Amino acid sequence: MDILGSAKMLIRGYKYTYKLNTAHDISDDGNQKHMHTFIVEVLISSESYDKFVTYIDMVRDIDDYFKRYENKFINDFEPFQQVKPTLENMANVFYKDLGKIVDDNNLKVIKLTISETPLNKYTVSDRLVFGDARYMI
């Protein structure tokens, strides 16, 4: 039984934040390798809350995904050997890959935001999202 009732507009989910330390190079000559600490925020929701989802397992799976890039040169990994690892391209790849990971638990990535600085962020989502989950359409 759902303790919150059957409200149709009620959106529930997890907001996961990962601090990714990785190097990249987006120059044409390949001579501008530099480090960043990217902040990646992922909003994850479910169509059904009848199934219990272990948050620790979901976090472990997402941590394992990001650890492959941790303190490494991201250009050495697919698809970033062919696609420049700009903030936008990284967000698009992460969104798609994490969507596959959480889908195994009947979850869905609603929104992914990545930033190099607190003031510059890029967001990707398959729906209109204002601020946080309270305003999803």
Side-chain angles (χ1 to χ4, degrees):
M1 180 178 177
D2 187 343
I3 62 172
L4 294 176
S6 62
K8 295 288 184 192
M9 293 303 295
L10 186 62
I11 304 294
R12 296 168 281 183
Y14 302 98
K15 185 174 184 181
Y16 172 82
T17 303
Y18 191 87
K19 188 184 291 187
L20 176 62
N21 297 298
T22 192
H24 72 156
D25 185 341
I26 60 172
S27 69
D28 290 332
D29 61 13
N31 291 323
Q32 296 182 24
K33 178 179 177 180
H34 57 281
M35 287 292 292
H36 280 287
T37 299
F38 295 99
I39 303 299
V40 182
E41 296 175 334
V42 185
L43 181 61
I44 298 169
S45 189
S46 175
E47 298 294 323
S48 168
Y49 286 91
D50 296 333
K51 180 182 173 220
F52 178 74
V53 177
T54 306
Y55 184 71
I56 293 171
D57 292 340
M58 181 185 66
V59 168
R60 183 197 63 234
D61 292 344
I62 295 172
D63 280 349
D64 289 346
Y65 173 79
F66 283 119
K67 282 180 185 173
R68 76 180 78 182
Y69 303 120
E70 190 67 36
N71 295 311
K72 304 248 175 41
F73 185 47
I74 201 167
N75 296 60
D76 288 340
F77 295 87
E78 284 295 334
F80 302 115
Q81 292 172 334
Q82 285 77 36
V83 176
K84 285 186 181 183
T86 62
L87 191 69
E88 298 82 2
N89 287 339
M90 289 169 58
N92 294 336
V93 169
F94 296 164
Y95 181 83
K96 184 177 113 192
D97 290 350
L98 292 175
K100 292 175 187 173
I101 291 169
V102 302
D103 187 53
D104 291 341
N105 290 314
N106 294 322
L107 298 170
K108 180 159 178 48
V109 174
I110 301 299
K111 177 174 85 166
L112 183 138
T113 300
I114 186 170
S115 63
E116 296 175 319
T117 71
L119 299 177
N120 298 315
K121 298 180 180 188
Y122 176 80
T123 298
V124 61
S125 179
D126 68 348
R127 62 188 75 193
L128 187 59
V129 180
F130 295 104
D132 63 20
R134 293 178 297 166
Y135 304 105
M136 270 190 254
I137 297 173

